[in-house]
Amino acid sequence: MLRIIDARTGEPAPAAPTRRAPTCVEAHAPGRDATALRVMLVADLLARALELDGTPVWAVLTGAAEGERLRKDAAALGIRPFEEGDTAGHGPGTGQSVRVVGASGAGDARDVVTVAVGPAHPAEADLADPDAVRLALLERSRHARVELDAPALDEARDTLARWRRAVADWARHPSRPVPGEVRDRLRAAWEDDLDAPGVLRVLREVETDPDLPDGARFEICAYADRFLGLHLTRDVGTSY
């Protein structure tokens, strides 16, 4: 079961108290800066993790002063569309709700499980390579401050290029199932407070594990990418 640290109590709480019941994920993202984008990204990860466990999700955006512009930037990062409006009394939810906010606004949270997200700097994110921005944000715990400076984006860009080349090559080999132990480690990571860095660590180990067949490496990356959203299989069929 997906558990997150509730910013109201500092204690772990289930993201979906009633398993597979419709759950509202609310991204509260005032402004149109990098931190607001990070709030939306964490809400996107939360929705992905819930859906991977079979829980239907209704995603809404509140508090956005420049909602359309923020949605446009979020779409570039591969973040799902968020409906606009108050979560109370609307949509398919049955009272289950999780609110994702910037850390500075966690104290204003309503009486719902609240996910607090650390700041991202600089305030104006360079979206020339949005997948690199997404990976740079995923590299740090959601609680920690993240720097989207040139070295971080260059490293993310290089990592993505290497992984996509590798995945395209592994796709040419006979498919093999995701080993149960690896699948369990991936799920344990994202179900533990949306630990994206933990998921990335598993992929780095998979990349170099001499005992894994290449067909299994491909399936592992495709499975993990359902949570990460990094388009790791984008270059399958491409000749390098």
Side-chain angles (χ1 to χ4, degrees):
M1 176 182 291
L2 172 60
R3 291 187 176 272
I4 54 178
I5 301 299
D6 189 341
R8 302 170 305 159
T9 64
E11 298 294 329
T18 306
R19 194 177 185 190
R20 293 187 172 86
T23 297
C24 175
V25 173
E26 176 193 353
H28 184 72
R32 184 183 168 248
D33 58 8
T35 299
L37 274 177
R38 193 181 190 196
V39 166
M40 293 193 71
L41 173 59
V42 171
D44 182 59
L45 293 178
L46 174 58
R48 287 169 179 263
L50 287 168
E51 288 173 343
L52 282 164
D53 196 39
T55 299
V57 171
W58 174 46
V60 299
L61 173 64
T62 62
E66 299 182 73
E68 289 307 312
R69 298 180 67 189
L70 181 60
R71 282 188 180 86
K72 182 178 179 181
D73 291 346
L77 262 64
I79 295 170
R80 69 181 50 225
F82 281 71
E83 294 183 27
E84 183 176 358
D86 191 344
T87 62
H90 301 283
T94 57
Q96 292 191 142
S97 183
V98 182
R99 197 170 193 236
V100 184
V101 301
S104 61
D108 302 327
R110 300 191 304 267
D111 189 22
V112 296
V113 174
T114 300
V115 178
V117 179
H121 293 86
E124 181 101 16
D126 180 0
L127 299 182
D129 189 343
D131 284 349
V133 173
R134 185 174 179 114
L135 177 55
L137 290 171
L138 294 176
E139 290 281 9
R140 300 294 304 276
S141 162
R142 67 170 176 84
H143 303 280
R145 171 185 170 120
V146 65
E147 296 291 339
L148 298 175
D149 53 16
L153 293 179
D154 286 344
E155 182 178 354
R157 194 175 295 111
D158 291 345
T159 298
L160 278 174
R162 185 182 77 249
W163 278 353
R164 285 169 175 168
R165 282 195 300 269
V167 169
D169 179 63
W170 297 334
R172 298 186 178 96
H173 295 262
S175 178
R176 295 289 186 271
V178 177
E181 180 266 340
V182 177
R183 183 184 296 271
D184 290 346
R185 289 177 61 203
L186 288 170
R187 293 191 68 93
W190 69 58
E191 290 181 352
D192 180 16
D193 200 33
L194 302 173
D195 183 13
V199 175
L200 294 171
R201 282 194 296 272
V202 174
L203 290 191
R204 289 187 168 96
E205 294 173 16
V206 163
E207 185 180 10
T208 58
D209 186 341
D211 296 326
L212 278 173
D214 287 341
R217 292 186 219 273
F218 170 79
E219 297 295 346
I220 291 166
C221 289
Y223 178 65
D225 206 37
R226 293 173 62 188
F227 172 73
L228 297 170
L230 291 171
H231 306 114
L232 296 180
T233 61
R234 187 193 69 180
D235 294 340
V236 170
T238 300
S239 299
Y240 284 97

